[in-house]
Amino acid sequence: MDPVIVVGAGPVGLTLALALARHSVPTVVLDEGPGKDEQRPARTVVLRDDTAALMERLAGHSFGDMETGARWAGWRSLRRKQLMRELTFSDQTPPPLHVPQHVLTGALRAAIADERLVKIAVESKLDSLEQDSGGLTAHTRGPKDTWWRGSYLVGCDGPRSTVRKLLDIRFPGRTAVERHAVAALRTELPRPGEALLHRMPPWRGGGAEVTGRPLAGGVWRLDWLLPPRGDLVTPDALVARVRETLAGWCGGSTPPYELLDTGVHTVHHRLARRWRVGRAFLAGDAAHLLGALGTQGLDEGLRDADNLAWKLALAWHHGARESLLDSYQAERRASVAARLRAADQSLPILRGGGGLRSYVPGTARGHDTLLTDGHVGRGPLGAPGSYAESPLAPAPSESEVVVGTEPGAPVADVRVTAPDGSFVQLRDRLGLGQLLVVLVAPGTVVWERRHWVKAGIMPRLAAAVTALPHPAELLVAESYPGAAAHSVLLIRPDGHLVTALSGVRPAELYTAAETVLGGVLPKQRARETDTTEKAKKAESKAVASRPTTQ
């Protein structure tokens, strides 16, 4: 079968290519540039904890060290001279990851260099695209004009997406929602490692808002909120802002600093009308633009890639399930649209002097809470999206139980026992193309796996997992937030909870798995019927041989 064509070699395109490779799907990445990325220290990304874990799994590289990225120790919010809010990050409240974008992209490129299933075609700019019943044909121009044949195509080619234009997809929204002056500099500030949001700073020329976020190696990124229709920011004016801000935070005198990079960042809010046309899809900035109030557009783009990869892989290996492919737009577009609505509803309250602010009650402390939640990945402005209303969500069942994760939301990263008896983190088992079934069984951690794997409900659950319509891995957790003993969790390949059941419910488990896969193709039905019969025999044998005492 022809490879998947990925248009764009930014973080989203490279992530999608690596994720597809983990599902044994070959890809061709069309890179308009020379295959190298410009180093811009002021162009950074903030990733939520689970997205950062996805990047580390795919790149085989940890970004939390002193060389590549920073995980913040805490967060402070100030208004004038008053401390409004303070957070300390921990294992229970994991910090976001702050990393230069060129570092992230470089790690992904290094991983792709060792991946035989991914080919990058540099200096290849897409200029035409045709679809037929069997695939797509794309033409690129460059040093060598080339025709490419693919099974599917994903446009990860940024805000001015050629793929989106060739598919004639509208991209409505708002331009210049916010503007920020940005500087990356190396210096020493009080309370190193803590990010800071300062509203209405008391020094002269402080402006409305400034944010300081630490990076690795003693580097900080500073962002100043600019008036929506102000003058251009000159280099001299930006240096003056740097000196005034550092002096304001350091007791009145400007500490030594090294200015590494500057720029002006303009935030747009746009959302593509459609994310799928036949065999072509949009992802990342080609599909959406957002970023006001601390939300991170790249984080959402990486979630697009994670959501789409396993669905394309199933279609590539087993034939297209239209409902499964359609669910990509249904889930991801709805999630991003909800975040855009939350930002658009909050902006008049936080930035405007009238309008909605005159009617919506709010305090300065409440405003700082909204901003903080957006920056650190919490609340409606920052928390990961949930797919509770997904077309892949199974119907409610009487066997369903409530756990600490709502159906459709990302699961918690607990320690689990793998089939080989080793202890691993749940997130380490994601992205391999299989479903995950987790049994919550307190007390198993104190015994070797061989002592309990054939006892209690394990044989029956193992037989039920074997009978599922798609390969699944059975894991055992000592505990899971909010889950009672013997709860059984079904988890998608991208780490979102499908359902939680009370005990072993083979029929409900099978139905939920079939639903989340978008239904089963007719050509698979016969094979699965045979598999189910074998599983029933295996279950009967397991029950017959089960010890009478437990």
Side-chain angles (χ1 to χ4, degrees):
M1 191 170 179
D2 295 318
V4 173
I5 299 174
V6 176
V7 183
V12 176
L14 298 176
T15 295
L16 179 59
L18 279 172
L20 286 170
R22 289 189 61 147
H23 295 293
S24 301
V25 176
T27 61
V28 173
V29 180
L30 303 182
D31 185 356
E32 183 179 332
K36 297 181 180 180
D37 300 287
E38 182 183 8
Q39 295 193 9
R40 292 293 308 274
R43 190 178 186 186
T44 66
V45 298
V46 178
L47 304 179
R48 302 178 187 91
D49 184 55
D50 58 332
T51 317
L54 167 67
M55 293 294 95
E56 292 180 344
R57 287 198 307 273
L58 293 177
H61 176 83
S62 176
F63 294 101
D65 55 39
M66 294 299 294
E67 299 295 328
T68 56
R71 296 186 185 273
W72 302 334
W75 172 276
R76 287 184 299 142
S77 177
L78 302 174
R79 187 172 186 269
R80 292 191 172 92
K81 296 183 179 181
Q82 182 181 4
L83 178 65
M84 305 297 292
R85 194 172 186 195
E86 189 169 14
L87 298 175
T88 300
F89 296 113
S90 63
D91 291 341
Q92 289 70 38
T93 308
L97 172 70
H98 191 201
V99 60
Q101 183 166 316
H102 69 265
V103 171
L104 180 64
T105 307
L108 294 171
R109 285 188 183 275
I112 283 178
D114 297 327
E115 180 51 69
R116 62 179 182 83
L117 290 177
V118 180
K119 174 182 178 180
I120 297 184
V122 300
E123 297 181 337
S124 299
K125 181 174 177 57
L126 180 74
D127 62 4
S128 70
L129 173 63
E130 298 178 357
Q131 298 194 52
D132 55 59
S133 59
L136 310 97
T137 302
H139 182 265
T140 57
R141 54 183 172 83
K144 294 182 180 180
D145 288 3
T146 308
W147 290 96
W148 303 90
R149 184 66 179 172
S151 55
Y152 297 93
L153 180 144
V154 185
C156 306
D157 48 344
R160 297 180 177 85
S161 170
T162 300
V163 174
R164 189 182 64 241
K165 294 172 184 175
L166 291 174
L167 296 175
D168 195 25
I169 297 175
R170 293 184 59 200
F171 199 37
R174 294 198 293 146
T175 300
V177 176
E178 287 188 346
R179 291 194 313 145
H180 296 263
V182 183
L185 52 92
R186 182 175 285 108
T187 190
E188 292 186 9
L189 293 178
R191 306 180 74 161
E194 289 191 0
L196 170 66
L197 168 67
H198 201 156
R199 303 185 73 207
M200 302 177 69
W203 53 84
R204 179 182 176 184
E209 180 181 304
V210 58
T211 306
R213 292 174 287 186
L215 287 156
V219 176
W220 291 76
R221 169 172 165 166
L222 273 56
D223 293 65
W224 295 268
L225 178 64
L226 299 174
R229 296 178 181 83
D231 297 331
L232 294 177
V233 180
T234 65
D236 289 344
L238 188 51
V239 169
R241 284 180 180 269
V242 169
R243 296 182 62 84
E244 290 165 356
T245 300
L246 294 182
W249 287 344
C250 297
S253 60
T254 303
Y257 69 91
E258 177 187 1
L259 190 60
L260 304 176
D261 190 21
T262 62
V264 174
H265 173 55
T266 303
V267 175
H268 309 289
H269 280 179
R270 295 188 178 276
L271 186 64
R273 291 288 191 193
R274 301 174 66 187
W275 290 28
R276 180 194 179 194
V277 177
R279 290 175 173 267
F281 301 79
L282 299 178
D285 286 352
H288 52 77
L289 294 174
L290 69 165
L293 307 184
T295 53
Q296 301 298 321
L298 180 56
D299 188 281
E300 292 292 352
L302 299 175
R303 291 179 185 274
D304 295 344
D306 196 28
N307 183 289
L308 182 57
W310 68 276
K311 299 173 181 179
L312 280 180
L314 276 173
W316 196 89
H317 286 293
H318 303 293
R321 297 174 172 92
E322 293 303 317
S323 59
L324 182 65
L325 295 178
D326 285 341
S327 73
Y328 166 66
Q329 173 178 310
E331 292 178 346
R332 291 302 306 147
R333 192 179 187 277
S335 179
V336 174
R339 198 172 307 288
L340 283 171
R341 284 194 300 271
D344 287 341
Q345 290 168 1
S346 300
L347 273 171
I349 303 173
L350 297 167
R351 309 297 194 214
L356 183 61
R357 187 177 186 179
S358 304
Y359 303 98
V360 177
T363 63
R365 192 172 298 278
H367 297 170
D368 282 295
T369 297
L370 271 175
L371 284 167
T372 296
D373 285 349
H375 279 287
V376 303
R378 294 155 50 141
L381 293 177
S386 173
Y387 307 142
E389 302 300 322
S390 168
L392 304 182
S397 165
E398 293 183 357
S399 304
E400 196 170 12
V401 294
V402 176
V403 298
T405 301
E406 295 183 358
V411 293
D413 188 26
V414 297
R415 191 173 78 153
V416 295
T417 304
D420 63 0
S422 63
F423 295 110
V424 297
Q425 292 300 120
L426 180 56
R427 284 178 184 160
D428 293 340
R429 315 307 292 182
L430 300 176
L432 298 175
Q434 58 193 1
L435 298 171
L436 299 181
V437 177
V438 177
L439 170 66
V440 180
T444 51
V445 71
V446 300
W447 302 99
E448 291 186 18
R449 184 177 182 274
R450 61 188 177 87
H451 292 305
W452 49 259
V453 70
K454 295 182 180 180
I457 64 174
M458 277 295 293
R460 187 162 179 252
L461 179 58
V465 171
T466 302
L468 293 179
H470 187 72
E473 183 176 45
L474 176 56
L475 305 168
V476 178
E478 172 76 8
S479 63
Y480 187 89
H486 296 168
S487 296
V488 175
L489 281 59
L490 178 63
I491 301 169
R492 297 169 19 155
D494 59 355
H496 287 253
L497 180 67
V498 179
T499 187
L501 302 173
S502 174
V504 182
R505 311 282 180 170
E508 287 92 335
L509 192 64
Y510 187 97
T511 300
E514 190 174 41
T515 303
V516 82
L517 296 171
V520 180
L521 294 175
K523 68 181 182 180
Q524 291 179 304
R525 185 74 65 180
R527 294 199 304 268
E528 289 166 3
T529 300
D530 181 61
T531 301
T532 302
E533 291 301 320
K534 292 180 179 178
K536 288 180 178 178
K537 292 179 181 178
E539 179 181 354
S540 299
K541 184 177 180 181
V543 171
S545 62
R546 185 186 306 165
T548 56
T549 58
Q550 301 177 12

